[in-house]
Amino acid sequence: MSSNWREFLLRRALGRMHVNEDILRHLSTFQRLGATLETAPPRELLPVGARTMLRALRTRGASDIRPDWLWPYWLERQLDPHDAAFTPRGHLPAMQNVTNRNWTLVGNMHSAWEGVVDAAGLVSPIPDEWSLDWWVRVGERWHFPSRAPEVRQGLRDARPVVVTHLPVPGGEIRQEVYGVETVPEQVAMEIENATDEVVEVAFAVRPYNPEGLAVVQSLVLTAEFVEVNARGLVVLPGRPERHHLSTFHEGDCATALERGEMNGSPRVEDPAGLAQGTFVYSLAPRERIRASTPLEGRTIERRWRLPWRRRMQHTAPATSNLPGADDALRDWDIRMDRGMRVEVPHTRLQEAIDSNRAYLLLLHDPGSITAGPLTYHRFWFRDAAYQVAALDRWGFHDEAADILRSYPARQRRDGYFYSQWREWDANGAAIWTAAEHDRLTGDHGLMAELAPSLGAGTRWIARTCADDRGKDAAASGLMPAGISAEHLGPHDYYYWDDLWAWRGLLDGATIASRHGDDTTLRQAEVAATRLEASLRRSWQDAAMRLGAPVVPAGPTRGYDAGMIGSLAACYPLGLLGPDDPRVKATAEVVRERFCIGEAFYQGISHTGLGTYLTLQLAFVELEAGDERAWARFAWLLDAATATYTWPEAIHPQLRGGCMGDGHHGWVVADVLNFARMLLVRETGRGLALLTLMPPGWWGERVSVRDAPTHFGRITYELDWDGDTPVLSWECERGGVPLTAPGVDASWRTVDRVGVARLSPQAGDLPA
């Protein structure tokens, strides 16, 4: 009855806005594409969706009537009919970045926020707000990086110091962007004149970012600062030689700069929210100039003196007092000299490992870890499962423990671990993450601290699976219908949720047994047995319906791209082995139907080449010793940006980001997870070193130091005596079975320390 009342009231309200019955039929039938959604969708999605849509509406409107404006890198290309990234808008009133969602995070390890740098050096210090750009005048011409096809980018020493090269007559101008640990934390933009002539550099406050337009309603220039919206701040390198502030209707500052029309006004307000400013300085040959901006916009402390007056106090230090890029690099070198360290004979892989170790630490915020610096700057238990596991596998145990300690505060009274409503994988993900930390560290003190919370989460899974009220008959004994991971499809029943729940029950039982929680232990054991039986029965029904022992995305689904999620049964959850007929059949269908070359194409939601989704297939192949795993990983390495970042999905034709955060945290984690599993992998019985030997590695040295495993730490080195591989190793514990299947499939040992000359068989040798 309540559902009918809601529908009645909705129809009345929409009818008053002339939304007629034919339109409502689209809405009412859409929700029935999966399991019927009788209640409101997760409210957490509403502000994200509203922001995305309204930003896209403003971006479309402004760019349509101001084609002469200088827009960000992605929008310049989507508006250009001569560019391959040109995007027709048609009747859609929106414009968003669907071709170049690529950026790089910068910051410091102690800040809860990160800035991002786009492919042309545009710096956005605050999610969904304004940016700081850089323009250069050489001779009589102004050069704008977002319009320069020859602009290049990279990292310094595989650390989060982003270098953008702008070729100009007589040499180039180099920009370096990096985080500095000051109070407040800042991102610095440093410009170097690598020519033999005096040039002019303009720092420009722009009302947009790599996702679309921002709202900038006011700019105020003081002696050394630019106040943005009375709370953001740009710290300038002294008083500019000349400057120009403008509104949307007055025109673009870039046009005024080219014409030499600088108004020198100290203040501007724009009701259209597109205020901008340009600040110009001369720069001698081989010299540098620097501006900075604090992160998160917490730049001005407001102290009320009288009800109608307030005084603003700037807290950011002058740019002359900031550490430089060389200082930032030294700090990173010190911080990176811990945990698991490797040397591999593959340049791109080595640089990807080195840079992503740092990126992973930047994504760790105090008491949290986020799925990205911009679009996904928030916490999800699902993404955190992969990210925290990567922290632990690479030896960053303090950061992992800091995140895990926040889990009880993220839990509801009924035991549900809450990051978004109807994401029923959350409890299993939370419990598995904590259990994996315990397996890799033996941190029993932390587990004792978390045990009550994990026990409550385990009991929640047991109750939720057992409660069949409102479930379809096909989902009896399984988790309820939910949103789950958006790449699986609409609101429906998903095996992904069941697999994580099953793993959570198994790990929850182990934790309860260790800490004397007999009630949770009994409930977990009974629920795990029942859930496994329900799953196997459901899988059997699906196999009969589909004519093959595949595991689709859910009980009523067929052959679609969402079945990639069912491979989690093998990795990371270890519920089914890689030789299980269901895993093998599902992987084969994914390969045959849903891959373009080596990459997995996700046609649900992402509509692009999946980055971490390609690795979900590669992990299963790696577990099976299948060399196709390396081919997929090599594709991902080749698809990386010049700064070794990846978006959530890649445009199949243009190879730019088309979905999600342009620097995606799950991909950061899984690049590291795959590299670690390639070099050191738990087999259940022991450790496999070098499961595969990639092309070009034969005859080359490989070194792994201080790798945490379920069996303690291990250090090893593969060297060569002519054509003979020589393996030396040292394990923290004795009696751990070691193998090296990619080098010598017949070699095995349980010695804690040793040196062995391996004897590869014909099947072990590279083709």
Side-chain angles (χ1 to χ4, degrees):
M1 181 66 71
S2 62
S3 176
N4 293 335
W5 271 108
R6 282 196 297 270
E7 183 175 343
F8 171 77
L9 294 174
L10 178 63
R11 288 176 181 271
R12 286 291 301 271
L14 293 176
R16 291 179 179 273
M17 295 183 285
H18 305 286
V19 178
N20 297 323
E21 185 66 27
D22 61 326
I23 302 173
L24 288 173
R25 283 198 294 269
H26 285 288
L27 177 62
S28 63
T29 55
F30 167 75
Q31 63 142 350
R32 289 174 171 83
L33 295 176
T36 302
L37 177 59
E38 295 293 354
T39 52
R43 63 178 179 268
E44 299 86 359
L45 297 179
L46 296 179
V48 175
R51 180 183 299 110
T52 300
M53 182 53 65
L54 293 175
R55 179 177 59 216
L57 289 172
R58 290 183 69 235
T59 304
R60 168 71 191 267
S63 61
D64 276 356
I65 64 176
R66 289 292 186 271
D68 57 329
W69 265 50
L70 178 69
W71 298 109
Y73 179 88
W74 69 270
L75 189 51
E76 286 283 337
R77 280 143 188 81
Q78 287 187 196
L79 292 173
D80 184 357
H82 303 289
D83 197 290
F86 172 72
T87 305
R89 276 83 75 195
H91 291 297
L92 294 176
M95 187 72 168
Q96 58 183 323
N97 185 356
V98 293
T99 60
N100 288 278
R101 299 186 69 84
N102 305 98
W103 45 81
T104 308
L105 68 84
V106 290
N108 70 78
M109 289 172 51
H110 305 296
S111 175
W113 298 86
E114 301 83 37
V116 301
V117 187
D118 83 351
L122 181 77
V123 177
S124 304
I126 310 167
D128 197 46
E129 293 207 22
W130 53 275
S131 301
L132 184 63
D133 207 354
W134 60 299
W135 308 331
V136 179
R137 179 179 177 178
V138 180
E140 298 300 317
R141 179 189 168 194
W142 279 97
H143 298 261
F144 303 105
S146 65
R147 287 182 178 168
E150 65 276 11
V151 71
R152 297 179 294 109
Q153 202 168 68
L155 297 175
R156 277 188 64 182
D157 300 337
R159 299 288 185 254
V161 176
V162 180
V163 185
T164 305
H165 304 262
L166 176 65
V168 297
E172 68 173 14
I173 308 299
R174 283 193 290 269
Q175 178 215 52
E176 292 185 333
V177 181
Y178 52 92
V180 291
E181 295 186 24
T182 56
V183 180
E185 300 95 347
Q186 297 192 69
V187 170
M189 175 194 289
E190 193 168 312
I191 311 295
E192 180 185 6
N193 178 9
T195 75
D196 295 324
E197 299 183 12
V198 176
V199 302
E200 286 188 326
V201 173
F203 294 106
V205 175
R206 306 299 286 170
Y208 47 63
N209 55 60
E211 294 196 291
L213 293 190
V215 176
V216 179
Q217 295 178 299
S218 68
L219 291 176
V220 178
L221 174 65
T222 64
E224 293 183 318
F225 304 98
V226 182
E227 298 173 4
V228 185
N229 289 334
R231 63 188 182 89
L233 192 70
V234 176
V235 185
L236 296 172
R239 189 79 181 181
E241 297 171 13
R242 61 187 193 280
H243 68 274
H244 185 81
L245 304 182
S246 184
T247 67
F248 176 66
H249 294 291
E250 290 171 348
D252 193 357
C253 282
T255 302
L257 196 66
E258 290 184 305
R259 294 175 178 172
E261 301 170 356
M262 308 295 281
N263 60 22
S265 172
R267 179 186 300 268
V268 67
E269 294 189 4
D270 186 2
L274 291 170
Q276 350 102 54
T278 305
F279 312 93
V280 181
Y281 300 84
S282 295
L283 187 60
R286 313 302 167 182
E287 290 194 352
R288 292 173 174 252
I289 195 170
R290 180 168 55 185
S292 67
T293 175
L295 294 168
E296 199 208 352
R298 293 182 299 187
T299 58
I300 299 172
E301 179 185 343
R302 296 175 178 174
R303 295 182 180 177
W304 295 88
R305 300 172 65 188
L306 293 171
W308 59 88
R309 297 184 66 184
R310 70 185 182 193
R311 179 173 61 86
M312 295 182 179
Q313 177 180 347
H314 301 293
T315 60
T319 57
S320 58
N321 298 327
L322 294 181
D326 292 339
D327 300 312
L329 284 173
R330 282 192 291 269
D331 288 343
W332 275 111
D333 287 342
I334 293 171
R335 290 186 168 91
M336 291 293 94
D337 191 24
R338 62 187 176 109
M340 175 179 170
R341 286 142 294 170
V342 305
E343 295 178 27
V344 295
H346 189 286
T347 301
R348 286 188 67 80
L349 176 56
Q350 185 70 60
E351 292 179 353
I353 289 171
D354 292 342
S355 55
N356 280 273
R357 288 173 77 232
Y359 292 149
L360 186 64
L361 290 172
L362 280 179
L363 288 168
H364 164 243
D365 299 335
S368 181
I369 193 163
T370 62
L374 189 57
T375 313
Y376 295 155
H377 195 270
R378 57 161 295 189
F379 176 90
W380 282 277
F381 284 103
R382 177 190 309 117
D383 299 69
Y386 292 88
Q387 292 176 287
V388 176
L391 284 169
D392 272 327
R393 287 168 179 165
W394 285 84
F396 301 125
H397 303 312
D398 290 344
E399 287 80 2
D402 174 66
I403 299 161
L404 289 169
R405 285 193 174 93
S406 75
Y407 280 23
R410 301 178 186 276
Q411 189 175 36
R412 299 194 328 176
R413 290 183 179 179
D414 63 357
Y416 175 51
F417 284 102
Y418 185 98
S419 57
Q420 183 171 299
W421 186 237
R422 292 189 188 85
E423 292 202 327
W424 306 133
D425 57 348
N427 274 47
I431 297 166
W432 175 83
T433 306
E436 186 70 1
H437 175 79
D438 186 49
R439 287 187 284 262
L440 288 164
T441 66
D443 188 354
H444 301 317
L446 176 60
M447 291 305 294
E449 179 183 335
L450 297 176
S453 172
L454 299 176
T458 303
R459 295 191 298 275
W460 180 90
I461 297 176
R463 292 194 308 272
T464 304
C465 291
D467 186 358
D468 284 339
R469 290 176 298 176
K471 294 180 185 176
D472 294 349
S476 176
L478 304 180
M479 295 293 285
I483 300 299
S484 196
E486 87 284 339
H487 61 266
L488 299 181
H491 183 271
D492 210 341
Y493 297 98
Y494 288 108
Y495 290 137
W496 168 274
D497 295 334
D498 303 313
L499 293 169
W500 282 97
W502 183 9
R503 183 74 261 173
L505 290 170
L506 295 176
D507 285 337
T510 300
I511 295 167
S513 175
R514 182 182 299 161
H515 293 91
D517 185 351
D518 294 336
T519 300
T520 298
L521 174 61
R522 287 193 300 271
Q523 291 185 27
E525 289 178 337
V526 171
T529 300
R530 183 174 186 269
L531 178 55
E532 180 181 359
S534 298
L535 273 171
R536 293 189 182 278
R537 181 175 61 250
S538 183
W539 291 343
Q540 184 175 2
D541 292 344
M544 293 179 63
R545 177 168 52 86
L546 298 174
V550 299
V551 182
T556 61
R557 295 279 283 274
Y559 290 98
D560 63 61
M563 65 196 310
I564 188 76
S566 299
L567 294 178
C570 177
Y571 177 89
L573 301 180
L575 299 167
L576 302 177
D579 56 348
D580 185 283
R582 296 174 183 82
V583 173
K584 293 173 68 174
T586 305
E588 190 58 33
V589 169
V590 169
R591 278 190 287 262
E592 290 181 355
R593 298 193 179 206
F594 304 110
C595 284
I596 298 177
E598 307 299 343
F600 171 77
Y601 171 71
Q602 177 54 291
I604 299 174
S605 178
H606 294 188
T607 59
L609 303 179
T611 46
Y612 59 83
L613 294 178
T614 294
L615 289 186
Q616 287 192 9
L617 176 58
F619 275 115
V620 172
E621 292 169 333
L622 182 64
E623 292 280 352
D626 188 334
E627 293 182 354
R628 286 176 291 188
W630 172 258
R632 296 189 205 289
F633 190 56
W635 168 82
L636 191 67
L637 291 176
D638 289 341
T641 67
T643 55
Y644 292 100
T645 70
W646 292 269
E648 190 164 22
I650 294 173
H651 195 295
Q653 301 298 323
L654 303 178
R655 303 296 167 166
C658 64
M659 165 67 187
D661 207 304
H663 193 165
H664 201 280
W666 190 337
V667 194
V668 170
D670 262 359
V671 165
L672 294 173
N673 283 327
F674 188 93
R676 187 270 193 183
M677 301 293 276
L678 177 72
L679 297 168
V680 181
R681 181 174 62 86
E682 288 87 358
T683 64
R685 297 177 298 276
L687 296 175
L689 314 180
L690 289 163
T691 295
L692 299 174
M693 282 288 280
W697 287 33
W698 207 259
E700 300 291 337
R701 179 176 175 272
V702 178
S703 172
V704 174
R705 289 188 290 160
D706 295 329
T709 77
H710 294 178
F711 305 96
R713 293 181 179 269
I714 185 172
T715 293
Y716 76 84
E717 183 175 303
L718 178 69
D719 217 326
W720 300 80
D721 182 6
D723 294 332
T724 301
V726 180
L727 182 68
S728 58
W729 71 93
E730 181 177 352
C731 298
E732 184 177 6
R733 305 176 194 168
V736 178
L738 300 181
T739 60
V743 187
D744 182 351
S746 64
W747 179 78
R748 283 166 177 73
T749 187
V750 293
D751 292 342
R752 191 180 74 82
V753 180
V755 178
R757 295 172 63 86
L758 306 186
S759 303
Q761 308 300 311
D764 304 321
L765 298 172

